[in-house]
Amino acid sequence: MALDRFDPLLKTNDLVQDLKWDQEFRARFESDEDAVIDEYPLTDAERRAIRERDFRGLHELGLHPYLLSQLARLIYGTGEKAGTSGAATALIRSLLGDDYDAYMAERRD
């Protein structure tokens, strides 16, 4: 996943950066996600993708790939083993869609 779709003007980039760096803001997001989302001039598509945890959709809208992983980590927490946490699994499943099971099967071989 390269920067081919990255849109630096996409406001979700700002939202994720703010969530990353501001612990109080992150706590507000965890307790009232809709209120925090409403503080940003996001498009309906951005809002829907965040609420539905549609990381592929956020990528297609222009969210920076690094910030995709940060958002997944912030929402789902972190895991002890890289690539096996709920955050990593949710991100990979969303990005790969119907190809997820085949991808995981290849990794087990």
Side-chain angles (χ1 to χ4, degrees), residues 90-107:
L91 178 61
I92 293 167
R93 185 180 295 280
S94 178
L95 291 171
L96 295 179
D98 293 338
D99 297 327
Y100 175 79
D101 290 331
Y103 170 77
M104 293 305 290
E106 286 177 20
R107 289 187 60 180

Side-chain angles (χ1 to χ4, degrees), residues 14-109:
D14 298 332
L15 169 65
V16 177
Q17 286 286 19
D18 292 345
L19 288 169
K20 262 183 57 123
W21 296 109
D22 187 333
Q23 187 173 2
E24 287 181 24
F25 186 64
R26 192 165 49 252
R28 284 185 36 230
F29 181 81
E30 291 171 5
S31 66
D32 192 354
E33 183 175 316
D34 288 335
V36 169
I37 289 173
D38 287 343
E39 294 178 24
Y40 287 77
L42 306 178
T43 65
D44 289 341
E46 287 173 273
R47 292 171 195 278
R48 184 173 38 259
I50 293 168
R51 288 182 179 119
E52 295 176 2
R53 310 308 193 232
D54 180 4
F55 299 105
R56 175 182 246 170
L58 287 167
H59 169 69
E60 291 172 357
L61 289 169
L63 185 61
H64 191 282
Y66 170 76
L67 295 177
L68 277 172
S69 64
Q70 293 302 298
L71 182 60
R73 182 184 63 79
L74 291 165
I75 290 172
Y76 292 106
T78 58
E80 292 183 15
K81 295 188 277 182
T84 62
S85 70
T89 300
L91 178 61
I92 293 167
R93 185 180 295 280
S94 178
L95 291 171
L96 295 179
D98 293 338
D99 297 327
Y100 175 79
D101 290 331
Y103 170 77
M104 293 305 290
E106 286 177 20
R107 289 187 60 180
R108 288 185 206 110
D109 292 340

